[in-house]
């Protein structure tokens, strides 16, 4: 959704829209898809530039970083940005290091691009399907949340004699339990 800053008066404008956020690339080559976002806020002119104070709510479709299961993550955040139309080199140096700036190429702001950036910033570094996700076995690839590992644990040769003794004792116990 495009908004022309030339239409902005001194009192500002209240915003209440549903905005589509196009899919975007994320870490590891994954493409993040979002449901349309509820976007509410206010945009107004200030001495510093054009201030945007808003909130968004959406559902993001990702994959769990441990088990790779599909994951629907609800995201919402309040944010504040200063939109700077026609940000030149001289002005840019004065604003270096400011975290709440959003430079614009002209007098139009694309709220879809603003929301895409805010969703990207709100995403967790390692999204999980659940806090206790056990992930995938690195040997056999089994999803440890649903099944047990099919790998045989490598045996340390120092314990070979104990492993052999365990097998002998298991055979004896099976043999003795069948005689009762």
């Amino acid at each position: 959704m495009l908004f022309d800053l030339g239409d902005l008066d001194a009192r500002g404008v209240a915003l209440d829209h549903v905005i589509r956020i196009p899919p975007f690339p994320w870490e590891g080559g994954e493409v993040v898809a979002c449901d349309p976002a509820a976007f509410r806020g206010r945009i107004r002119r200030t001495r510093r530039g054009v201030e945007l104070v808003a909130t968004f709510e959406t559902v993001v479709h990702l994959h769990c970083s441990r088990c790779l299961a599909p994951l629907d993550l609800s995201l919402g955040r309040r944010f504040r940005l200063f939109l700077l139309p026609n940000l030149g080199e001289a002005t840019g140096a004065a604003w270096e290091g400011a975290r709440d700036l959003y430079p614009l190429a002209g007098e139009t702001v694309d709220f879809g691009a603003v929301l895409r950036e805010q969703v990207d910033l709100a995403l967790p570094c390692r999204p999980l399907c659940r806090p206790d996700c056990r992930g995938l076995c690195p040997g056999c690839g089994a999803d440890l949340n649903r099944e047990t590992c099919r790998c045989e644990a490598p045996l340390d040769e120092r314990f070979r004699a104990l492993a052999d003794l365990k097998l002998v004792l298991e055979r004896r116990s099976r043999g003795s339990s069948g005689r009762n």
Side-chain angles (χ1 to χ4, degrees), residues 38-125:
F39 175 63
R40 292 175 203 87
R42 186 157 196 82
I43 187 167
R44 66 185 183 96
R45 289 200 183 276
T46 66
R47 288 180 298 158
R48 190 173 181 194
V50 177
E51 179 186 42
L52 171 63
V53 178
T55 60
F56 74 87
E57 292 177 14
T58 188
V59 175
V60 180
H61 309 286
L62 302 163
H63 290 92
C64 176
S65 64
R66 290 185 188 160
C67 70
L68 305 178
L71 167 67
D72 292 337
L73 181 66
S74 294
L75 283 182
R77 177 182 259 186
R78 181 181 187 277
F79 63 96
R80 177 181 178 200
L81 292 175
F82 288 97
L83 310 173
L84 299 174
N86 301 315
L87 185 63
E89 289 180 26
T91 310
W95 293 97
E96 192 171 318
R99 294 178 300 187
D100 57 354
L101 286 186
Y102 195 87
L104 300 173
E107 287 285 322
T108 304
V109 59
D110 180 1
F111 288 135
V114 169
L115 283 179
R116 180 222 169 274
E117 181 178 279
Q118 293 301 313
V119 167
D120 193 5
L121 291 170
L123 287 172
C125 293

